Amino acid sequence: MSGRSRRRSVALAAAALTPGAAGPAAAAEAVAFGPSDIAVLAMFLGALFVAVAACVALLRARRRLSEVQAGTGGALAELRSRLDQAEALIASEPQVHVAWRADRDVPEIVGNPERLKIPAGRRLLAFGSWLDPQTARAIDLRIDALRGRGEPFRLMLRTPEGGHVEADGRPVGAAAVLRLRDVTGERLARAEIEAENAELKDVVGRFTGLSQSLTQPVWMRDERGRLIFTNEAYARAVEAKDGAAAVERDAEFLDQSTRAAARRATDAGHVFRARAPAVFAGARRIFDVVEAPSPAGAAAIAIDVSELEDMRAELARQNEAHRRTLDELATAVAIFRSDGALAFHNQAYRLLWALDESFLGTAPEDSAILDRLRADRKLPEQADFRTWKRQLHEAYRAIEAQEHWWHLPDGRTLRVVAAPNPQGGVTYLFDNVTERIALESRFNALSKVQRETIDHLQEAVSVFGSDGRLTLHNPAFQALWRLTPEQLELRPHAEEILNACGARPADAELWERLKTAMTAMPDERRPLAVRIERDDDAVIDVVTLPLPDGGTLATFTDVTARVNVERALRERAEAVEAAAKIKSEFTDKVSYELRTPLTTIIGYGELLADPRLGALSPKQKEFVDHIQSSSLALYAIINNILDLTTIEAGAMELERGPVDAREAIDAAVEGVRDRLAEAGLGLEIDAPPGISFTADAKRVRQVLFNLLSNAIGFSKPGLAIRVAAKRAGDHVILTVTDQGDGMPPEFIKKAFDSFESGGTAGRHRGVGLGLSIVRSFVQLHGGDVSIESTPGAGTTVTCRFPIKATGVEAAE
């Protein structure tokens, strides 16, 4: 648009809007417009109209907003006022509100729980802490239903202090609200009425349940005599579908006359009792009817007694049959009526007491029969017969049977049972148990001896019945297989026992044989003896023996120790054989390797000491003497070792002959005389002549030589060694006593062991073979050796030789 056009449009608009203008015509007259100017003008006017309309809408919206804000503020103030009033109202009354909101995880609790005497805070919702378990579970379930499904509820709660609290739960908007408030006044009375009503409903429910379970018809009437309740038995009697249908039909069970009589009795406040006929499920029967009145009507029950007469007749027939049966029994039977008169007796009763049939036919009283039996001295002797008889007659008033044991003067023993009869009176049963008691006594004694014997056996014993189940076992069986009492108390099967014993897979066939022997019933049963090994390396010998009653006796013997001993003995024998071989080889080695060169040394020493070969200086002579003494000592040690080895190997042979004790002592002393002189010791010999015995003289001298060598080594200088010989019965006793330091008690026990030496530092200490050789030689002769020693006072070694030859060689 050109500037000119715009100016025209503006001028036209100004003319149009200017008050007092003549209108568009005048404007048109004033300014000449073209088509383009008119379009521009129209657009301008449209824009102007839209702006004006928007301004008007804005003003209206602002006015409405101001009105809404003013209304909202008032409503908010009113709501706040109401909230304050509600909180004040809640605080003014003893009540607590608990609200669960969807936007909050923690429930909101409003109110003062202390006024209700219930826990505060979160403990309030722990209902189990202040309510009984049943009520706590009930309110927890109701709250879950309220929060989950919006189900309202109302419960009456009892606080621990005995107060009542009403719990009212209901949904409020998106929240679940629980109100707990104290119940007082009318509400308390209402709560108590509701509790009593609930209790009455429970009682009625139990009574209804009981009546529905009865097989007798039960019904109740209102004050007008109409049926209001019948049980299932009543419904069956009147052929109704159920009790409700019978009430709806007003179906009567009794006839008109009986109902009228019952109505008259109940109206008068009396209980109606009668026996009347009635049709029960289409069959005519006889009932005992009892109808009791109540303020609101009456309740009745009908008991079927139509079979009573039939039962009485049947009872009479049975009694007669029983009488005939009792008359055939070997047990004496006597039946007395309630008045004490004899009503029945069988033949065994008459024979037992040797009573006349004419006397029994008069129906004598119980007391009269007892008096007659006492006069005939057929009853047990009693210090107070009246008291005894009175106690016996207590059976007439007893409920249960009484048992007595009578030991009669003739030696018989009776078991007497006094059983009260249902219709009154007493039935006596006299059972002669003399022989049975004797048999039971012998059997019990035998069983006890057998049981004690089995229980104290080291072998495990078990008995399996013909059905394969365990019937008897001893403690050794339970301990051997490590079975618990629970496993054995239920009579387990043999297969279960064998499985519990823990068979090894390698012994499957062996255990199958055992199971067959214990459980199978072949035509010919044979004993079975096997040896099994458990996983713990225990060895068990099992023997099964068939019993005459079809059972099986099984014994389990733990031979582990015996097997181990056998193995050990075999190993020991092998070791002894190997040791003997080694010892023999060692002996040969010693004989050849030591004795031969030692003999050469001793020979050359003697040559050097011989003055014929040239004189030696004193020092040289001293060295040669040492060589000779040491060589001889070593030679003696080697001989001792060889002798000891020979004895242990059982190869030593004695050259027995007469031995004079004095000569043997002198020969031994001669071998140690130089050593006695060197040690400065004296020697006392107490050996009377004429003491002789049979022995190996060489070995006796060797015994004495070793004892003297020991005595010299342990004696103190300046003292004397005493050697004695004497005869004592069938033995010759040789003793060697020194006055040295003695032996401690602990060393005496091992003094005879090989290579044990009791020498102390600075004094004699040998290789410890002397006493061992002494004991071996003396025992080889059949004698014995003993030591008596006191520390500080010396030691005495005593050798006892038999005068006559004994021992192994003498036996040969």
Short mmCIF file of all heavy atoms in Angstrom, two decimals, residues 87-125:
data_model
loop_
_atom_site.label_atom_id
_atom_site.label_comp_id
_atom_site.label_asym_id
_atom_site.label_seq_id
_atom_site.Cartn_x
_atom_site.Cartn_y
_atom_site.Cartn_z
N GLU A 87 -10.28 -31.33 65.70
CA GLU A 87 -9.17 -31.72 66.55
C GLU A 87 -9.48 -31.43 68.01
O GLU A 87 -9.15 -32.21 68.89
CB GLU A 87 -7.89 -31.01 66.12
CG GLU A 87 -7.36 -31.48 64.76
CD GLU A 87 -6.09 -30.74 64.36
OE1 GLU A 87 -5.77 -29.76 65.05
OE2 GLU A 87 -5.45 -31.16 63.38
N ALA A 88 -10.11 -30.28 68.25
CA ALA A 88 -10.50 -29.97 69.63
C ALA A 88 -11.52 -30.98 70.14
O ALA A 88 -11.46 -31.41 71.30
CB ALA A 88 -11.05 -28.54 69.71
N LEU A 89 -12.46 -31.36 69.26
CA LEU A 89 -13.47 -32.35 69.67
C LEU A 89 -12.82 -33.71 69.96
O LEU A 89 -13.15 -34.37 70.94
CB LEU A 89 -14.52 -32.49 68.55
CG LEU A 89 -15.66 -33.50 68.85
CD1 LEU A 89 -16.43 -33.05 70.08
CD2 LEU A 89 -16.58 -33.59 67.64
N ILE A 90 -11.88 -34.08 69.08
CA ILE A 90 -11.17 -35.37 69.30
C ILE A 90 -10.39 -35.31 70.60
O ILE A 90 -10.36 -36.26 71.39
CB ILE A 90 -10.25 -35.68 68.11
CG1 ILE A 90 -11.08 -35.97 66.87
CG2 ILE A 90 -9.32 -36.85 68.43
CD1 ILE A 90 -10.26 -36.14 65.61
N ALA A 91 -9.72 -34.16 70.83
CA ALA A 91 -8.92 -34.04 72.05
C ALA A 91 -9.80 -33.99 73.28
O ALA A 91 -9.37 -34.37 74.38
CB ALA A 91 -8.03 -32.80 71.97
N SER A 92 -11.03 -33.50 73.15
CA SER A 92 -11.90 -33.37 74.32
C SER A 92 -12.48 -34.71 74.76
O SER A 92 -12.87 -34.87 75.90
CB SER A 92 -13.05 -32.39 74.01
OG SER A 92 -13.88 -32.91 72.98
N GLU A 93 -12.56 -35.68 73.84
CA GLU A 93 -13.11 -36.98 74.18
C GLU A 93 -11.98 -38.02 74.22
O GLU A 93 -10.98 -37.89 73.51
CB GLU A 93 -14.15 -37.42 73.14
CG GLU A 93 -15.39 -36.55 73.12
CD GLU A 93 -16.45 -37.12 72.20
OE1 GLU A 93 -16.21 -38.23 71.69
OE2 GLU A 93 -17.48 -36.46 72.00
N PRO A 94 -12.16 -39.07 75.05
CA PRO A 94 -11.15 -40.14 75.11
C PRO A 94 -11.21 -41.02 73.87
O PRO A 94 -11.87 -42.07 73.86
CB PRO A 94 -11.52 -40.90 76.39
CG PRO A 94 -12.98 -40.65 76.57
CD PRO A 94 -13.23 -39.27 76.05
N GLN A 95 -10.58 -40.60 72.83
CA GLN A 95 -10.58 -41.35 71.59
C GLN A 95 -9.30 -41.08 70.82
O GLN A 95 -8.62 -40.07 71.05
CB GLN A 95 -11.80 -41.01 70.74
CG GLN A 95 -11.88 -39.54 70.34
CD GLN A 95 -13.12 -39.25 69.50
OE1 GLN A 95 -13.67 -40.15 68.89
NE2 GLN A 95 -13.52 -37.99 69.46
N VAL A 96 -8.97 -42.01 69.93
CA VAL A 96 -7.76 -41.92 69.10
C VAL A 96 -8.15 -42.26 67.68
O VAL A 96 -8.91 -43.20 67.44
CB VAL A 96 -6.67 -42.89 69.61
CG1 VAL A 96 -5.46 -42.85 68.69
CG2 VAL A 96 -6.26 -42.56 71.03
N HIS A 97 -7.64 -41.46 66.72
CA HIS A 97 -7.87 -41.70 65.31
C HIS A 97 -6.55 -42.10 64.66
O HIS A 97 -5.52 -41.45 64.88
CB HIS A 97 -8.42 -40.44 64.63
CG HIS A 97 -9.87 -40.18 64.96
ND1 HIS A 97 -10.87 -40.29 64.04
CD2 HIS A 97 -10.45 -39.85 66.12
CE1 HIS A 97 -12.04 -40.00 64.61
NE2 HIS A 97 -11.80 -39.72 65.90
N VAL A 98 -6.62 -43.13 63.86
CA VAL A 98 -5.46 -43.60 63.10
C VAL A 98 -5.85 -43.59 61.63
O VAL A 98 -6.85 -44.20 61.25
CB VAL A 98 -5.02 -45.02 63.51
CG1 VAL A 98 -3.78 -45.43 62.74
CG2 VAL A 98 -4.76 -45.09 65.02
N ALA A 99 -5.07 -42.87 60.82
CA ALA A 99 -5.38 -42.72 59.40
C ALA A 99 -4.23 -43.25 58.56
O ALA A 99 -3.07 -42.91 58.82
CB ALA A 99 -5.67 -41.26 59.06
N TRP A 100 -4.57 -44.09 57.59
CA TRP A 100 -3.59 -44.58 56.62
C TRP A 100 -3.88 -43.90 55.28
O TRP A 100 -4.98 -44.05 54.72
CB TRP A 100 -3.71 -46.09 56.45
CG TRP A 100 -3.23 -46.88 57.63
CD1 TRP A 100 -1.98 -47.31 57.87
CD2 TRP A 100 -4.04 -47.34 58.73
NE1 TRP A 100 -1.92 -48.01 59.04
CE2 TRP A 100 -3.18 -48.05 59.60
CE3 TRP A 100 -5.38 -47.21 59.08
CZ2 TRP A 100 -3.63 -48.62 60.78
CZ3 TRP A 100 -5.83 -47.79 60.24
CH2 TRP A 100 -4.96 -48.48 61.09
N ARG A 101 -2.94 -43.12 54.80
CA ARG A 101 -3.11 -42.39 53.53
C ARG A 101 -2.22 -43.03 52.48
O ARG A 101 -1.13 -43.55 52.78
CB ARG A 101 -2.77 -40.91 53.70
CG ARG A 101 -3.59 -40.24 54.80
CD ARG A 101 -3.24 -38.76 54.91
NE ARG A 101 -3.90 -38.13 56.04
CZ ARG A 101 -5.15 -37.68 56.02
NH1 ARG A 101 -5.86 -37.80 54.90
NH2 ARG A 101 -5.69 -37.13 57.09
N ALA A 102 -2.68 -42.92 51.23
CA ALA A 102 -1.93 -43.54 50.14
C ALA A 102 -0.60 -42.84 49.90
O ALA A 102 0.35 -43.47 49.44
CB ALA A 102 -2.77 -43.53 48.86
N ASP A 103 -0.53 -41.52 50.20
CA ASP A 103 0.70 -40.77 49.92
C ASP A 103 1.66 -40.81 51.11
O ASP A 103 2.68 -40.09 51.08
CB ASP A 103 0.36 -39.32 49.58
CG ASP A 103 -0.46 -38.65 50.68
OD1 ASP A 103 -0.94 -39.39 51.56
OD2 ASP A 103 -0.61 -37.41 50.64
N ARG A 104 1.36 -41.58 52.15
CA ARG A 104 2.22 -41.65 53.31
C ARG A 104 2.46 -43.12 53.68
O ARG A 104 1.55 -43.92 53.61
CB ARG A 104 1.62 -40.92 54.51
CG ARG A 104 1.48 -39.41 54.30
CD ARG A 104 0.99 -38.75 55.58
NE ARG A 104 0.78 -37.32 55.39
CZ ARG A 104 0.35 -36.51 56.37
NH1 ARG A 104 0.10 -36.99 57.57
NH2 ARG A 104 0.17 -35.23 56.13
N ASP A 105 3.70 -43.38 54.08
CA ASP A 105 4.04 -44.73 54.50
C ASP A 105 3.74 -44.98 55.97
O ASP A 105 3.52 -46.11 56.38
CB ASP A 105 5.54 -45.02 54.25
CG ASP A 105 5.88 -44.97 52.77
OD1 ASP A 105 4.97 -45.24 51.96
OD2 ASP A 105 7.03 -44.66 52.43
N VAL A 106 3.73 -43.92 56.75
CA VAL A 106 3.53 -44.04 58.19
C VAL A 106 2.12 -43.58 58.52
O VAL A 106 1.68 -42.52 58.07
CB VAL A 106 4.57 -43.18 58.96
CG1 VAL A 106 4.34 -43.30 60.46
CG2 VAL A 106 5.98 -43.61 58.59
N PRO A 107 1.34 -44.36 59.29
CA PRO A 107 -0.02 -43.93 59.65
C PRO A 107 0.03 -42.71 60.56
O PRO A 107 0.97 -42.52 61.36
CB PRO A 107 -0.58 -45.15 60.35
CG PRO A 107 0.59 -45.90 60.86
CD PRO A 107 1.68 -45.68 59.86
N GLU A 108 -1.01 -41.89 60.45
CA GLU A 108 -1.11 -40.68 61.27
C GLU A 108 -2.03 -40.99 62.45
O GLU A 108 -3.14 -41.49 62.30
CB GLU A 108 -1.72 -39.53 60.43
CG GLU A 108 -1.86 -38.24 61.22
CD GLU A 108 -2.49 -37.14 60.36
OE1 GLU A 108 -2.78 -37.42 59.17
OE2 GLU A 108 -2.71 -36.04 60.88
N ILE A 109 -1.52 -40.73 63.66
CA ILE A 109 -2.24 -41.02 64.90
C ILE A 109 -2.59 -39.70 65.58
O ILE A 109 -1.72 -38.87 65.84
CB ILE A 109 -1.39 -41.89 65.84
CG1 ILE A 109 -1.02 -43.21 65.15
CG2 ILE A 109 -2.13 -42.16 67.15
CD1 ILE A 109 -0.11 -44.08 65.96
N VAL A 110 -3.88 -39.50 65.81
CA VAL A 110 -4.38 -38.27 66.43
C VAL A 110 -5.16 -38.67 67.69
O VAL A 110 -6.01 -39.56 67.64
CB VAL A 110 -5.27 -37.47 65.46
CG1 VAL A 110 -5.79 -36.18 66.14
CG2 VAL A 110 -4.51 -37.12 64.19
N GLY A 111 -4.91 -37.98 68.79
CA GLY A 111 -5.61 -38.26 70.03
C GLY A 111 -4.64 -38.64 71.14
O GLY A 111 -3.42 -38.74 70.92
N ASN A 112 -5.17 -38.83 72.33
CA ASN A 112 -4.36 -39.14 73.50
C ASN A 112 -4.67 -40.57 73.94
O ASN A 112 -5.67 -40.81 74.62
CB ASN A 112 -4.67 -38.16 74.63
CG ASN A 112 -3.72 -38.35 75.80
OD1 ASN A 112 -2.78 -39.15 75.73
ND2 ASN A 112 -3.93 -37.60 76.86
N PRO A 113 -3.81 -41.56 73.58
CA PRO A 113 -4.09 -42.95 73.97
C PRO A 113 -4.07 -43.16 75.48
O PRO A 113 -4.65 -44.12 75.97
CB PRO A 113 -2.96 -43.75 73.28
CG PRO A 113 -2.45 -42.84 72.20
CD PRO A 113 -2.62 -41.45 72.72
N GLU A 114 -3.35 -42.30 76.21
CA GLU A 114 -3.26 -42.50 77.66
C GLU A 114 -4.62 -42.40 78.32
O GLU A 114 -4.87 -43.05 79.34
CB GLU A 114 -2.29 -41.49 78.26
CG GLU A 114 -0.85 -41.67 77.77
CD GLU A 114 0.09 -40.67 78.41
OE1 GLU A 114 -0.42 -39.80 79.16
OE2 GLU A 114 1.31 -40.76 78.15
N ARG A 115 -5.52 -41.58 77.76
CA ARG A 115 -6.85 -41.46 78.35
C ARG A 115 -7.66 -42.75 78.16
O ARG A 115 -8.58 -43.02 78.92
CB ARG A 115 -7.59 -40.28 77.71
CG ARG A 115 -6.90 -38.93 77.97
CD ARG A 115 -7.68 -37.79 77.39
NE ARG A 115 -8.99 -37.66 78.02
CZ ARG A 115 -9.92 -36.77 77.65
NH1 ARG A 115 -9.66 -35.93 76.66
NH2 ARG A 115 -11.09 -36.74 78.26
N LEU A 116 -7.30 -43.52 77.14
CA LEU A 116 -7.94 -44.82 76.94
C LEU A 116 -7.20 -45.95 77.67
O LEU A 116 -7.63 -47.10 77.62
CB LEU A 116 -7.99 -45.16 75.45
CG LEU A 116 -8.82 -44.23 74.57
CD1 LEU A 116 -8.73 -44.69 73.12
CD2 LEU A 116 -10.26 -44.20 75.02
N LYS A 117 -6.05 -45.60 78.29
CA LYS A 117 -5.22 -46.59 79.00
C LYS A 117 -4.75 -47.68 78.05
O LYS A 117 -4.82 -48.89 78.35
CB LYS A 117 -6.00 -47.19 80.18
CG LYS A 117 -6.37 -46.17 81.24
CD LYS A 117 -7.09 -46.82 82.39
CE LYS A 117 -7.47 -45.79 83.45
NZ LYS A 117 -8.16 -46.40 84.61
N ILE A 118 -4.31 -47.21 76.87
CA ILE A 118 -3.74 -48.13 75.89
C ILE A 118 -2.39 -47.59 75.48
O ILE A 118 -2.10 -46.39 75.70
CB ILE A 118 -4.66 -48.30 74.66
CG1 ILE A 118 -4.90 -46.95 73.97
CG2 ILE A 118 -5.98 -48.95 75.06
CD1 ILE A 118 -5.75 -47.06 72.72
N PRO A 119 -1.50 -48.41 74.88
CA PRO A 119 -0.17 -47.93 74.51
C PRO A 119 -0.24 -46.78 73.50
O PRO A 119 -1.20 -46.65 72.73
CB PRO A 119 0.50 -49.16 73.90
CG PRO A 119 -0.23 -50.32 74.45
CD PRO A 119 -1.65 -49.85 74.62
N ALA A 120 0.79 -45.96 73.51
CA ALA A 120 0.86 -44.81 72.61
C ALA A 120 1.86 -45.08 71.50
O ALA A 120 2.64 -46.02 71.54
CB ALA A 120 1.27 -43.56 73.41
N GLY A 121 1.83 -44.23 70.47
CA GLY A 121 2.78 -44.34 69.36
C GLY A 121 2.54 -45.57 68.52
O GLY A 121 1.42 -46.07 68.37
N ARG A 122 3.65 -46.09 67.97
CA ARG A 122 3.54 -47.25 67.08
C ARG A 122 3.13 -48.51 67.85
O ARG A 122 2.61 -49.45 67.27
CB ARG A 122 4.89 -47.50 66.39
CG ARG A 122 5.34 -46.38 65.49
CD ARG A 122 4.33 -46.16 64.35
NE ARG A 122 4.21 -47.33 63.52
CZ ARG A 122 5.00 -47.59 62.48
NH1 ARG A 122 5.94 -46.74 62.15
NH2 ARG A 122 4.84 -48.69 61.78
N ARG A 123 3.36 -48.53 69.18
CA ARG A 123 2.94 -49.68 69.98
C ARG A 123 1.43 -49.82 70.01
O ARG A 123 0.90 -50.89 70.33
CB ARG A 123 3.49 -49.58 71.40
CG ARG A 123 4.99 -49.72 71.50
CD ARG A 123 5.48 -49.73 72.94
NE ARG A 123 4.95 -50.87 73.66
CZ ARG A 123 4.10 -50.79 74.65
NH1 ARG A 123 3.66 -49.59 75.05
NH2 ARG A 123 3.65 -51.88 75.27
N LEU A 124 0.73 -48.70 69.69
CA LEU A 124 -0.72 -48.76 69.67
C LEU A 124 -1.19 -49.77 68.63
O LEU A 124 -2.18 -50.48 68.83
CB LEU A 124 -1.29 -47.36 69.36
CG LEU A 124 -2.80 -47.29 69.09
CD1 LEU A 124 -3.57 -47.64 70.35
CD2 LEU A 124 -3.19 -45.90 68.58
N LEU A 125 -0.48 -49.82 67.48
CA LEU A 125 -0.89 -50.72 66.40
C LEU A 125 -0.38 -52.15 66.60
O LEU A 125 -0.71 -53.03 65.82
CB LEU A 125 -0.39 -50.18 65.06
CG LEU A 125 -0.91 -48.77 64.70
CD1 LEU A 125 -0.34 -48.32 63.37
CD2 LEU A 125 -2.44 -48.76 64.66
#
